[in-house]
Amino acid sequence: MHGSPHCAGAGRPASCDVTKNILRPDGQPRRSRGAASGLPCVLTLNGGSSSIRFAVYERGPAPRLRLAGKIDRIGSRGTNLTVASPAAKPPVARGLAASDHRTAAGFLLDWLEQQPVFAALKAIGHRVVHGMKHAEPERITPRLLAELHRLTPYDPDHLPREIELIELMRQRHPRLPQVACFDTAFHRTMPRVARLLPIPRRYAAQGVERYGFHGLSYAYLMEELGRLDPAAAKGRVILAHLGNGASLAAVRRGGSIDTSMGFTPAAGLVMSTRAGDLDPGLLSFLARREKMTPAEFEQMVNHASGLLGVSGTSSDVRDLLAREARDERAAEAIALFCYQAKKWIGAYAAALGGLDTLVFAGGIGENAPVIRARICAGLGFLGLELNPKGNAKNAAMISAHTSRVKVRVIRTNEELMIARSVCRTLGLAELR
């Protein structure tokens, strides 16, 4: 058992005032609409390698946000719980001591249980990165939980932490139904030729194939595109989720036909600290030359490569853009990212037999006009033309009126997609 986490520097237990931004001026809890109205709510949990994101939504066909936040930098110095609610802005952050995910998860649940909205919780939805052949969200049962334990070798960076969150919730609130929302599910529509890996066939029987990730983000983007432009959502679409983790997906008639990530999230486009696609001969070369072990190689390609490795200074696009004029390595890192993204778009336009809509999302895709412009430069042969003013303003539609390809910026929302999935999986009646 781990000791109770404390707010950094305060010496107080988990009940310290991390809720400052959701208190009334008189210091009493500010009740959310969900708690006050008695409407059932859904908690979403998104456990990453060094963070836990959470949100509370009122249930319904269009869930309404009541509370959101995250614990980040878990296991490092400067671990924070950041909390926001629609009724109180801006968000507030408080430091805490959490050396591992178990401690951070315990802290988060202690804190959530003190919030008025917690009494209205009727279900919990979890982002589960790897779902193998699962094509839909599923209610978590002992059988499914046992299966997730068996899948941990396929994703040792994420699954153990996600399972830990599920089990903690089962221990403390066994009557709350939980739903697993698989990040790989969106890509189960990929044709077999897109899933096959060119290695001996016996490995396919062990589940070694291309799965693809960022599926919750892609599912959300396609739902939003369907709302904004139903005809476009049925056409030839390329989705570019560009953030710390980055990937692209080719979508035809609403279904994924290909995606840049593969058997693991490390494949495909160069990312903040991940190398993306590499010549497999590099592993044997470094093993001979530097006596590098497989574990050291995995650490390098996942945590010390990508933009960080090429630039030697930062994994953050904002830092690199600020330095590129005077730092050749920063400029090369940015150029490599844009070049590879452009190549994937060209490849997927070929796979789709043309392109009708390109969607940018993710922290970079939503907020970096210069990156979008450099990626799209030279794609005029596809009929793609940007509107420079709209792009500079991060407008929802950034293509020119004369462009045959519509280019959109859509802010993705994995937590909302999880909440929607929980409501659909359990049914609104069950969430009353």
Side-chain angles (χ1 to χ4, degrees):
M1 294 293 291
H2 296 274
S4 298
H6 291 69
C7 286
R12 288 183 289 171
S15 60
C16 57
D17 63 343
V18 293
T19 60
K20 179 180 178 182
N21 68 321
I22 55 172
L23 296 181
R24 299 200 312 255
D26 61 3
Q28 296 302 308
R30 188 190 302 275
R31 293 189 174 275
S32 70
R33 175 176 174 153
S37 65
L39 291 176
C41 292
V42 173
L43 169 66
T44 70
L45 292 171
N46 186 340
S49 56
S50 61
S51 66
I52 304 173
R53 295 181 180 272
F54 66 92
V56 178
Y57 289 88
E58 286 181 3
R59 72 101 175 98
R64 294 171 60 93
L65 181 65
R66 290 288 147 251
L67 188 68
K70 64 180 179 179
I71 297 179
D72 60 1
R73 298 180 60 84
I74 298 171
S76 304
R77 297 181 63 183
T79 306
N80 286 308
L81 168 61
T82 305
V83 183
S85 75
K89 297 179 180 180
V92 67
R94 290 291 183 272
L96 61 114
S99 59
D100 55 38
H101 268 258
R102 182 181 296 274
T103 307
F107 179 98
L108 177 59
L109 188 51
D110 287 344
W111 179 83
L112 284 169
E113 288 170 344
Q114 297 173 29
Q115 307 312 307
V117 75
F118 192 85
L121 285 188
K122 299 298 180 182
I124 303 168
H126 296 265
R127 173 180 176 250
V128 177
V129 170
H130 216 308
M132 297 292 283
K133 299 186 185 301
H134 292 275
E136 298 288 343
E138 292 188 24
R139 184 168 182 161
I140 296 172
T141 62
R143 180 176 180 179
L144 179 57
L145 190 55
E147 181 184 349
L148 293 178
H149 275 286
R150 292 194 298 271
L151 295 183
T152 53
Y154 292 88
D155 187 2
D157 285 338
H158 297 95
L159 272 177
R161 297 175 176 89
E162 293 159 358
I163 291 169
E164 202 167 60
L165 278 170
I166 293 169
E167 292 180 333
L168 177 63
M169 292 299 174
R170 283 173 63 88
Q171 291 165 9
R172 292 175 59 163
H173 299 281
R175 300 187 67 177
L176 277 178
Q178 301 191 74
V179 173
C181 303
F182 302 105
D183 220 17
T184 49
F186 181 79
H187 301 295
R188 295 315 297 166
T189 57
M190 288 196 306
R192 182 166 173 76
V193 69
R195 291 186 280 112
L196 282 173
L197 291 177
I199 56 177
R201 184 172 286 271
R202 66 180 181 274
Y203 293 109
Q206 301 174 28
V208 179
E209 62 179 56
R210 295 181 66 246
Y211 287 97
F213 300 88
H214 286 146
L216 290 169
S217 174
Y218 290 141
Y220 177 84
L221 295 175
M222 287 306 299
E223 288 194 1
E224 285 299 290
L225 182 59
R227 181 181 64 82
L228 296 166
D229 189 344
K234 298 175 183 176
R236 300 165 297 183
V237 181
I238 294 177
L239 305 172
H241 178 111
L242 308 179
N244 285 330
S247 69
L248 293 92
V251 180
R252 180 190 294 129
R253 293 188 290 274
S256 175
I257 68 160
D258 209 340
T259 190
S260 58
M261 286 180 171
F263 177 64
T264 75
L269 178 65
V270 60
M271 305 174 221
S272 61
T273 63
R274 296 176 190 157
D277 286 350
L278 287 175
D279 181 343
L282 183 61
L283 173 58
S284 58
F285 171 79
L286 292 176
R288 294 192 306 269
R289 183 74 174 265
E290 299 189 6
K291 309 302 181 185
M292 183 177 286
T293 66
E296 290 170 338
F297 183 81
E298 184 174 3
Q299 170 69 21
M300 181 189 76
V301 299
N302 278 289
H303 304 290
S305 298
L307 297 177
L308 176 62
V310 175
S311 71
T313 55
S314 178
S315 62
D316 194 309
V317 163
R318 293 168 296 186
D319 295 339
L320 300 178
L321 286 172
R323 294 173 183 162
E324 65 174 344
R326 62 183 186 278
D327 185 338
E328 181 181 8
R329 297 180 303 170
E332 286 184 342
I334 291 292
L336 179 60
F337 181 82
C338 296
Y339 174 67
Q340 287 198 0
K342 189 195 307 283
K343 285 205 304 182
W344 282 105
I345 291 170
Y348 285 158
L352 290 165
L355 179 61
D356 303 312
T357 305
L358 171 62
V359 177
F360 285 100
I364 300 170
E366 296 166 13
N367 302 299
V370 66
I371 298 296
R372 294 192 300 258
R374 292 180 188 180
I375 290 172
C376 291
L379 294 180
F381 71 96
L382 293 174
L384 190 157
E385 182 183 354
L386 284 190
N387 175 350
K389 291 183 178 179
N391 183 47
K393 296 177 180 178
N394 293 321
M397 181 76 77
I398 61 172
S399 49
H401 293 302
T402 54
S403 179
R404 295 200 307 272
V405 176
K406 294 181 179 178
V407 185
R408 293 182 177 272
V409 176
I410 300 178
R411 296 194 175 276
T412 194
N413 193 330
E414 292 177 335
E415 282 71 32
L416 178 54
M417 194 66 224
I418 294 169
R420 289 175 180 173
S421 299
V422 170
C423 292
R424 293 165 186 167
T425 302
L426 297 180
L428 298 182
E430 193 168 348
L431 291 174
R432 289 175 184 167

